[in-house]
Amino acid sequence: MGLEDKVKEIIVDKLGVNAEQVTPEASFIEDLGADSLDTVELVMAFEEEFGAEIPDSDAEKLTTVGAVNDYLKEKGFDA
Amino acid sequence: MERRRVAVTGLGMVTPLGVDLGVFWKRSVEGYSGAGEIRQFDATGYTCRIAAEVIEFDVNAFIPIKEQKRMDRYSHYALGAAKMAVKDSGLNPASGNADRMGVYVGSGIGGLQTLETQHSILLNKGPTRCSPFMIPEMISNMAAGLIAIEHNLRGPNMAVISACATAAHSIGMALRSIQCGDADVMLAGGSEATVCPLGIAGFASMRALSTRNDDPKKASRPFDRDRDGFVMGEGAAVLVLEEWEHARHRGAQIYAELAGLGMTCDAYHMTAPCDDGEGAARAMKNALADAGMNADAIDYVNAHGTSTPLNDKAETLAIKRAFGEENARKLMIGSTKSMTGHLLGAAGAVESAICALALRHGIVPPTINYETPDPDCDLDYVPNTARQKPIRACLNNSLGFGGHNASLLFTAV
């Protein structure tokens, strides 16, 4: 499973949304119904899955699905 | 100022005897035991391997999956019970003044399972892996908050915590809030979900739990000579309490009137009841005085009756002390914990619902597993078979670790 699919799987699991909703443009809060605690949990799940450490200063910029994909790729976590 | 009257207009149950109110009552009258071997975790190696678990609750029917994941099981039960209670009452909060409708639903312990799971994560994966939902999931007041969100109830809201008297105190405080005019409608009750490794281990270490592992359905045997501890139960119950005229104006069914509350403390020991039942007796007397009634007006006492050697003996003394020996012998006294197990912080709500149903139907559910009389417990415990008899008024006792005593008085309509 590629990085983007894995990210999508985590989002579907944590936010209880349909996979089709998880487009690169989708905002976690605006489009996927997340609240501030959900976004913290999501970042923790990404850290867990990819063995990454995402500082809060970076995490607060990860507001869309695409931003997460780009960030993880940039950091070299492309599976 | 004259106090306003309070009607019980709705009941919602998530219990080891069933989730549907009709099923719950039928099994209560039939003398069904909700106890069995623990299913929720592998209890091999535990001194107590039995509990009265909730096995018929379909959480998906009450809470969307995403929401479920951010709640402890105790909140699942509480929300389920609250939804059913509102439905049963026929109340539509949106059509009334929801600023005057509130929620007092507590939990004796709160989200113990969540704490346990997250502590394992802390030890195994480190502090940065603990869920951001851990605190909101586990705190004992969250069920009350969630129920308010679900039904948009914007009036008084809190969680009273007094161990096994939690739900009785919650219902008592709701009574006061309606009586004095702070609210017109209150959802009140309790919820508990402590059948988890820490919950069983902790109570077992206190020697509070029955270890009759080979015969779980016989393990909860209040007032019987061979009782050896309580059987832990799980679940929730919520009552809709409503100002009398508010209920009558909308043509609501009224199960019973909640007419009195007595509250005391033993001020004696952390967990043991005082030997002579003095604290519990005063709670019962205070409830009678609060309702302006004499001891001979009560027909039924739903006892705390946990099936521990100490409680049942002390409570028997307390009933004699409160009612006088002669009146005490005329009472029907029942412990429905013989069937439901001990739902800790939810027990007082389950048993208040039983009182309301007993008053409405004129039936007192039995104390099952009563086989061998104990000379220390020599009153009429309605052994093994329900009794059909009109009931004018009844008391519901709840006695909690910490010495908290609460007694609620219900009267027939």
Side-chain angles (χ1 to χ4, degrees):
Chain A
M1 193 184 282
L3 179 140
E4 293 188 10
D5 287 335
K6 197 69 220 176
V7 166
K8 185 182 280 191
E9 186 182 85
I10 289 169
I11 294 167
V12 166
D13 175 52
K14 295 293 179 197
L15 300 184
V17 293
N18 295 321
E20 304 84 71
Q21 294 172 263
V22 187
T23 59
E25 304 76 37
S27 153
F28 295 117
I29 291 177
E30 304 293 328
D31 303 315
L32 301 178
D35 62 21
S36 61
L37 296 178
D38 286 318
T39 58
V40 174
E41 193 185 39
L42 267 180
V43 169
M44 282 170 50
F46 298 139
E47 288 182 322
E48 177 88 13
E49 176 64 31
F50 298 102
E53 200 157 306
I54 305 174
D56 284 354
S57 52
D58 289 352
E60 60 197 32
K61 294 175 196 143
L62 304 178
T63 56
T64 65
V65 177
V68 171
N69 290 333
D70 293 345
Y71 177 84
L72 290 170
K73 282 180 201 167
E74 190 190 308
K75 295 283 174 186
F77 293 111
D78 211 339
Chain B
M1 188 182 80
E2 197 171 320
R3 294 199 303 193
R4 308 194 310 165
R5 294 172 67 193
V6 176
V8 180
T9 59
L11 305 172
M13 317 295 289
V14 176
T15 78
L17 298 193
V19 171
D20 173 81
L21 184 63
V23 170
F24 169 81
W25 179 240
K26 183 168 181 281
R27 288 177 178 162
S28 300
V29 171
E30 285 172 357
Y32 176 100
S33 167
E37 284 179 21
I38 290 173
R39 300 179 179 210
Q40 291 186 83
F41 68 96
D42 179 4
T44 307
Y46 287 66
T47 52
C48 170
R49 300 186 290 279
I50 56 176
E53 292 169 286
V54 174
I55 43 190
E56 294 166 3
F57 180 60
D58 176 13
V59 65
N60 296 318
F62 296 94
I63 309 168
I65 288 175
K66 188 200 161 194
E67 299 300 316
Q68 285 170 31
K69 290 164 70 175
R70 41 162 75 193
M71 296 175 194
D72 187 86
R73 194 164 76 240
Y74 100 87
S75 288
H76 294 169
Y77 293 157
L79 265 179
K83 277 192 171 185
M84 286 185 279
V86 169
K87 191 174 175 210
D88 183 53
S89 74
L91 184 76
N92 177 7
S95 72
N97 184 356
D99 291 354
R100 296 189 50 79
M101 302 181 187
V103 184
Y104 295 162
V105 170
S107 176
I109 297 184
L112 190 59
Q113 173 84 72
T114 295
L115 177 67
E116 201 170 68
T117 305
Q118 293 297 319
H119 187 248
S120 295
I121 291 172
L122 174 78
L123 295 181
N124 294 321
K125 297 182 175 178
T128 59
R129 290 289 177 268
C130 285
S131 168
F133 295 108
M134 170 179 66
I135 300 298
E137 275 182 47
M138 61 172 278
I139 52 182
S140 304
N141 56 302
M142 192 49 68
L146 290 165
I147 291 167
I149 293 167
E150 175 67 29
H151 296 285
N152 189 33
L153 306 173
R154 300 188 303 265
N157 191 300
M158 65 172 177
V160 181
I161 308 298
S162 54
C164 306
T166 291
H169 276 119
S170 301
I171 292 166
M173 290 300 96
L175 167 71
R176 290 289 186 257
S177 291
I178 297 173
Q179 279 178 332
C180 75
D182 283 343
D184 296 328
V185 175
M186 292 296 303
L187 270 56
S191 184
E192 208 74 78
T194 46
V195 180
C196 60
L198 271 178
I200 295 292
F203 280 102
S205 289
M206 295 176 73
R207 306 291 185 267
L209 298 178
S210 170
T211 56
R212 198 180 287 262
N213 296 308
D214 55 350
D215 197 2
K217 294 199 179 302
K218 294 272 185 192
S220 184
R221 43 194 316 119
F223 305 107
D224 182 273
R225 192 194 61 193
D226 301 325
R227 65 190 184 274
D228 74 327
F230 75 81
V231 172
M232 191 185 289
E234 273 203 357
V238 172
L239 280 66
V240 177
L241 302 175
E242 198 167 343
E243 192 274 323
W244 198 265
E245 293 307 321
H246 190 279
R248 289 190 34 155
H249 273 140
R250 66 178 189 89
Q253 60 175 346
I254 297 179
Y255 286 96
E257 177 169 0
L258 175 54
L261 163 70
M263 300 186 288
T264 63
C265 187
D266 285 357
Y268 170 73
H269 184 268
M270 282 170 69
T271 57
C274 56
D275 301 335
D276 57 5
E278 193 274 339
R282 271 189 301 118
M284 287 182 258
K285 282 188 194 169
N286 289 353
L288 285 165
D290 188 46
M293 292 173 70
N294 293 323
D296 60 9
I298 303 292
D299 294 314
Y300 168 48
V301 176
N302 186 304
H304 191 55
T306 55
S307 181
T308 62
L310 281 180
N311 177 86
D312 298 356
K313 181 182 173 186
E315 194 176 3
T316 297
L317 286 170
I319 291 169
K320 289 180 186 172
R321 189 183 267 263
F323 284 86
E325 189 89 24
E326 192 185 337
N327 279 324
R329 296 203 177 280
K330 292 182 199 154
L331 286 169
M332 294 181 280
I333 297 159
S335 170
T336 41
K337 287 187 182 75
S338 58
M339 298 179 278
T340 61
H342 187 358
L343 278 75
L344 309 180
V350 172
E351 290 150 25
S352 288
I354 288 174
C355 286
L357 291 163
L359 286 162
R360 182 184 211 176
H361 296 290
I363 300 175
V364 173
T367 303
I368 66 166
N369 298 323
Y370 184 87
E371 292 172 343
T372 311
D374 175 350
D376 290 329
C377 303
D378 57 354
L379 297 173
D380 173 9
Y381 302 106
V382 192
N384 304 316
T385 311
R387 206 170 293 167
Q388 198 151 7
K389 207 172 173 183
I391 308 160
R392 296 166 297 164
C394 62
L395 279 180
N396 174 22
N397 287 342
S398 290
L399 319 174
F401 285 165
H404 317 289
N405 307 306
S407 195
L408 296 165
L409 194 155
F410 296 88
T411 58
V413 179

